[in-house]
Amino acid sequence: MNILCAGINHHIAPVNVRERLAVATHELTDVLRRVRAIDGLTEAVVVSTCNRVEFYAASICPERALHGIRTYLSDRAGIDAPLYHHDTPRSVRHLFRVASGLDSMVLGETEILGQVKQAYASAADAGATARTLNKLFQRAFRVAKAVRSDTQITRGATSVGAVAVELAGKIFGDLANRRVMVLGAGDTSERTARSLVSRGVKTVIVSNRTFDRAAALAGEIGGMAIHFDHWQNEFPDVDILVSSTAAPHPVVTRAQLEPMMRHRAGRPLFIIDLAVPRDVEPTVNAIDGVYLYDIDSLQDIARRSLAVRQREIDHCERIIDTHVADFVRWMRHHHPTPAPASVLTPALPT
Amino acid sequence: MERYWLVAAAFCYLLSFGHTLFALGSGTFRPARFNLLTMALGFAFSSAFLYQRGQIVGACPITNLFEVLVFLSWATVLIYLLVGPTYRLSLMGAFTSPLVLTLLLFALLAPIDAASKRISHNPWVEFHAAVSIIAYGAFGLAAIAGVMYLVQERQLKARRLSELLLNLPPITELGRVNFRLIVTGFLLLTLAFTAGMLAGIDVRGWKTAASLFIWALYGTLLILARLRLVSAGRIVVASVAVFLFALITLPSVSQLPK
């Protein structure tokens, strides 16, 4: 028995190719049924996310199974996609790396594990898995857990929005009852506001020199738009300020903020200044209860987190190597039928 | 012989502290039950000591400064065990262990375990003394939450997303815990004073003045915090300072009343 993995991901295919091959949730049962009908293929799992479409199959004849998958995909999508492919043990290793977030666009991201679990559950529910893939995926989940808990691969946030959300959590804890004000509706402030909303923020006030732009963003994220002339009236009740105006001078000064902070009943204020030139005087960080982060400090934190994650790759690979060797031993013991180390021609690098 | 229980307790607290330091240093700290388990084990050993000592002196074992320090460390861990898991302050154990370890080591190493001639068998007096020390335990833990708050604030102000910051609870939560623990300690100390009055203890002298002063300081802090007249940061700084003052005055206020 051999384990075959064939697919495309963000490393080798642009989104316009990936979207052609993507398998929607409602199509999954039908796709699994068709893939399992391929000659020489006994079990199958399809992992389809925004960054990858991968077919995992247990097969006694991987070359025939691979040919069948290629034919099926080219019929289905109408293109000859540049599939990469692996057989045992590289396929096992590939799945363990995918589940652990090592193959993700954002190194160490954890969303992929949930997506792989969902893909496996769907295949199991459809009766498309049996002993080999059950064992493989359950082992993959264990590997991902070990990698996450024994290394720092998921440590810290690696984007400006994620860093802002992490810091907001470290200041306020639960963000549900916090009021966010977005001053200047630029792209980065929009992404940051969206990140905060995704973490439970319910009240977002958007103010922009162009009111229509503020109204449009407020509409998209479920917030409230106010005229730029009125933002200071709403400011005293705000917990998090995301600022990115195009003003040439600071719009929030220490002289403005100090008396305001005295009336906030001890509530902290988190200011995310994404503007260049900066919207907020740097000295406001010295005010008791005010935490000011500008774009450089956020990017610096994100860079350091990513550097920490990159340093952990070797450690993660060693954990994965151990589990791959262990799994291959299990396969040899339970599937003593001939399974050469690799019967397929070399695949594209992943 | 019963001192061996204390050595075992000190070892547990040392283990808790050492493990957390190592885990933070190597970047592998995860909220886990290890701190809770080692602290609970240390608490069990301290309880065994206090039980045996109580049997020997035939009263609540707070008859000299040695016993008072052990009782205070025991009370601090008791409050931690009651409060820590509730607030999920996984690192609180790591911050509590150095304090109780210091108290225990000082008690074990300093020549302060002298037999006292002032052993009271009045239950109100014993209640007064025991509850006072438990109140100090709550104040001690409030100070620990305060130190955690200050560490967290320093990290946030310095814009460092360190391992410590990632594992400390949110700063507003630490401020809340600090406040609630001061409330707990204040209520317990008020209860202890009431028991002392019922026991008809002598209220003259330095001991009563120092105790009342500490009680008044914490009361003032609560009023200032409740009315939001000062920031949470200043309240936690003050709570740490008042607790340090309380520790300094402990040798005098720990004398059993006449």
Side-chain angles (χ1 to χ4, degrees):
Chain A
M1 183 67 73
N2 208 315
I3 291 171
L4 169 70
C5 165
I8 56 165
N9 62 16
H10 57 285
H11 296 302
I12 64 161
V15 65
N16 62 325
V17 175
R18 299 202 302 274
E19 69 191 3
R20 301 272 296 265
L21 267 68
V23 179
T25 310
H26 67 274
E27 298 172 312
L28 203 55
T29 310
D30 182 53
V31 170
L32 283 167
R33 188 174 53 76
R34 288 172 189 274
V35 169
R36 284 193 68 210
I38 293 170
D39 190 24
L41 193 151
T42 54
E43 304 173 47
V45 173
V46 178
V47 178
S48 180
T49 72
C50 54
N51 282 329
R52 69 187 63 246
V53 181
E54 290 180 338
F55 291 77
Y56 291 88
S59 169
I60 48 169
C61 182
E63 279 173 317
R64 226 165 40 213
L66 177 62
H67 178 71
I69 289 172
R70 275 189 198 285
T71 309
Y72 168 68
L73 283 177
S74 96
D75 289 350
R76 182 171 184 272
I79 53 167
D80 281 327
L83 294 187
Y84 50 74
H85 54 81
H86 311 292
D87 57 358
T88 317
R90 290 184 63 196
S91 53
V92 175
R93 182 179 172 73
H94 180 78
L95 176 64
F96 290 178
R97 293 185 84 253
V98 167
S100 305
L102 295 189
D103 199 50
S104 297
M105 189 179 274
V106 178
L107 180 66
E109 61 98 2
T110 52
E111 197 183 351
I112 185 65
L113 179 60
Q115 291 167 326
V116 174
K117 279 183 176 174
Q118 185 59 48
Y120 168 67
S122 300
D125 287 348
T129 65
R131 191 181 190 191
T132 305
L133 289 193
N134 286 342
K135 187 81 177 172
L136 174 71
F137 276 81
Q138 277 151 16
R139 175 59 72 103
F141 305 147
R142 271 176 55 197
V143 174
K145 191 179 170 193
V147 164
R148 201 189 292 189
S149 58
D150 297 347
T151 74
Q152 296 193 70
I153 198 70
T154 60
R155 184 194 182 277
T158 54
S159 68
V160 166
V163 171
V165 167
E166 188 150 34
L167 287 167
K170 284 295 160 196
I171 295 168
F172 300 108
D174 183 17
L175 300 182
N177 296 318
R178 301 295 164 187
R179 288 170 74 88
V180 174
M181 177 179 275
V182 178
L183 208 55
D187 285 347
T188 316
S189 61
E190 180 183 334
R191 279 199 298 274
T192 306
R194 283 185 193 279
S195 300
L196 289 165
V197 169
S198 74
R199 279 286 296 269
V201 167
K202 291 193 177 68
T203 312
V204 182
I205 302 160
V206 185
S207 186
N208 195 55
R209 285 196 193 277
T210 315
F211 182 76
D212 290 348
R213 175 79 187 107
L217 176 58
E220 281 174 32
I221 59 178
M224 178 179 79
I226 58 169
H227 284 279
F228 196 74
D229 297 340
H230 299 154
W231 73 266
Q232 293 196 28
N233 302 338
E234 298 288 335
F235 187 54
D237 294 329
V238 163
D239 298 298
I240 302 169
L241 172 70
V242 182
S243 188
S244 68
T245 74
H249 304 295
V251 291
V252 179
T253 63
R254 185 168 181 168
Q256 273 178 315
L257 211 52
E258 261 174 339
M260 223 181 267
M261 286 306 290
R262 281 197 281 275
H263 296 100
R264 288 175 61 85
R267 279 185 303 125
L269 175 66
F270 178 31
I271 303 179
I272 304 161
D273 185 359
L274 302 169
V276 181
R278 286 176 289 182
D279 281 342
V280 185
E281 267 183 7
T283 53
V284 306
N285 193 46
I287 302 174
D288 205 10
V290 176
Y291 304 97
L292 168 66
Y293 284 73
D294 60 25
I295 186 74
D296 276 4
S297 51
L298 294 170
Q299 282 176 341
D300 187 46
I301 291 170
R303 263 196 304 273
R304 275 186 280 160
S305 296
L306 190 60
V308 169
R309 291 185 182 197
Q310 278 164 342
R311 282 201 300 273
E312 287 296 290
I313 291 176
D314 284 349
H315 189 185
C316 300
E317 299 285 11
R318 285 197 295 277
I319 293 171
I320 288 171
D321 284 346
T322 310
H323 283 275
V324 171
D326 195 38
F327 186 80
V328 170
R329 264 198 303 277
W330 176 85
M331 276 196 76
R332 284 198 187 119
H333 186 256
H334 289 86
H335 299 287
T337 47
S342 180
V343 296
L344 299 176
T345 49
L348 288 165
T350 60
Chain B
M1 192 60 193
E2 72 275 12
R3 289 168 73 101
Y4 286 118
W5 289 119
L6 288 187
V7 174
F11 180 73
C12 288
Y13 299 140
L14 180 67
L15 205 61
S16 168
F17 186 48
H19 171 263
T20 310
L21 276 188
F22 175 77
L24 283 173
S26 61
T28 55
F29 181 85
R30 294 286 181 281
R33 293 183 180 167
F34 186 82
N35 274 329
L36 194 59
L37 284 174
T38 46
M39 295 296 282
L41 205 57
F43 179 76
F45 289 138
S46 294
S47 303
F49 164 81
L50 290 172
Y51 174 77
Q52 283 197 354
R53 185 52 81 97
Q55 295 288 313
I56 292 165
V57 296
C60 185
I62 40 177
T63 61
N64 60 24
L65 184 57
F66 166 75
E67 290 171 8
V68 166
L69 286 175
V70 175
F71 199 88
L72 177 57
S73 71
W74 177 86
T76 306
V77 181
L78 172 72
I79 303 283
Y80 160 75
L81 291 173
L82 294 175
V83 171
T86 309
Y87 292 101
R88 298 180 192 282
L89 299 178
S90 51
L91 262 178
M92 197 170 221
F95 278 76
T96 308
S97 52
L99 173 68
V100 292
L101 183 63
T102 307
L103 291 172
L104 278 190
L105 288 179
F106 185 78
L108 282 166
L109 299 175
I112 50 173
D113 192 11
S116 173
K117 292 172 186 167
R118 292 172 62 182
I119 297 174
S120 171
H121 295 286
N122 180 339
W124 282 111
V125 172
E126 285 191 275
F127 181 78
H128 156 78
V131 174
S132 296
I133 297 172
I134 293 173
Y136 273 47
F139 291 141
L141 212 61
I144 287 163
V147 169
M148 292 167 76
Y149 180 104
L150 294 173
V151 170
Q152 183 75 308
E153 186 182 46
R154 191 177 166 79
Q155 302 268 322
L156 284 167
K157 286 278 188 188
R159 301 170 183 135
R160 281 198 302 262
L161 211 59
S162 68
E163 193 67 21
L164 198 57
L165 183 136
L166 288 172
N167 287 294
L168 278 169
I171 195 163
T172 45
E173 180 67 11
L174 287 169
R176 267 197 294 273
V177 172
N178 173 266
F179 178 78
R180 286 176 193 173
L181 285 166
I182 296 174
V183 170
T184 306
F186 185 77
L187 292 176
L188 286 170
L189 201 55
T190 308
L191 181 67
F193 283 165
T194 310
M197 281 192 282
L198 287 172
I201 59 172
D202 186 1
V203 294
R204 288 168 299 172
W206 161 250
K207 174 187 145 41
T208 308
S211 303
L212 278 174
F213 184 58
I214 289 164
W215 179 81
L217 282 176
Y218 277 116
T220 308
L221 276 188
L222 288 180
I223 292 167
L224 291 174
R226 192 81 188 109
L227 297 178
R228 305 215 185 260
L229 294 173
V230 293
S231 68
R234 287 183 187 171
I235 294 291
V236 299
V237 170
S239 74
V240 175
V242 176
F243 181 68
L244 289 177
F245 175 74
L247 275 185
I248 292 166
T249 60
L250 194 64
S252 60
V253 300
S254 63
Q255 293 287 317
L256 275 177
K258 293 174 187 171

